[in-house]
Amino acid sequence: MNIFSRLAGKLVYGLAKLIDGIFNILIAIVETIVVLISGLGRGFLAIIGMGGCLFLFLLMSPLGLVLLLHPTVILTILFFIVVPILGTKFVSYLKYRRYMITEYLFDYANYLSRGEKSKYESFREYGNRYK
């Protein structure tokens, strides 16, 4: 093997490790945020559930209707519902992209430095392998 291709292989391998580390940090941050918000939402739901009939009477009153239709309350409720749902999908998507990109780069680095043939012929096949 050529010394330049070995050097390029080591460079691509280092780039793949860097990208893998960035994805791991990003995934950990997003997972932490999703778990925290999901836990807070469950806590608020438990507090509301403990009120039971009192909460139902509050919502039936005119004050309850005004409170429920306030934009801040609606956005807060939507936030605690949407973030856990979309957050878990986003974490799954990030893991998919991390696998696809890093496996491709690791195989390409092996090809450059050792001359080994890669597992798959196209970039898309790495994504299909993850699925």
Side-chain angles (χ1 to χ4, degrees):
M1 266 287 157
N2 190 343
I3 192 158
F4 291 116
S5 65
R6 285 185 187 176
L7 182 63
K10 290 187 187 287
L11 201 83
V12 169
Y13 182 79
L15 178 67
K17 290 296 268 185
L18 177 71
I19 290 173
D20 187 42
I22 290 171
F23 267 112
N24 284 336
I25 291 170
L26 187 62
I27 288 169
I29 290 171
V30 172
E31 271 183 329
T32 303
I33 290 171
V34 168
V35 166
L36 181 68
I37 291 174
S38 179
L40 284 174
R42 285 188 191 124
F44 286 143
L45 194 61
I47 290 172
I48 290 171
M50 282 187 243
C53 293
L54 294 174
F55 184 69
L56 187 63
F57 286 136
L58 174 69
L59 289 180
M60 289 179 156
S61 71
L63 176 66
L65 188 61
V66 170
L67 184 67
L68 206 58
L69 295 178
H70 195 273
T72 308
V73 174
I74 292 173
L75 286 175
T76 304
I77 291 170
L78 283 176
F79 179 75
F80 282 111
I81 292 172
V82 170
V83 168
I85 294 170
L86 292 181
T88 54
K89 298 223 182 271
F90 185 61
V91 167
S92 172
Y93 180 74
L94 283 176
K95 288 179 180 179
Y96 165 72
R97 284 294 177 184
R98 179 191 65 191
Y99 177 82
M100 206 165 117
I101 292 169
T102 56
E103 286 300 313
Y104 175 78
L105 288 176
F106 285 142
D107 280 349
Y108 188 62
N110 280 339
Y111 169 74
L112 287 176
S113 60
R114 296 187 190 127
E116 296 176 7
K117 190 175 183 321
S118 63
K119 296 177 193 172
Y120 306 105
E121 301 211 0
S122 71
F123 186 71
R124 184 178 305 265
E125 290 180 26
Y126 287 93
N128 292 338
R129 166 82 168 106
Y130 182 80
K131 289 179 184 177

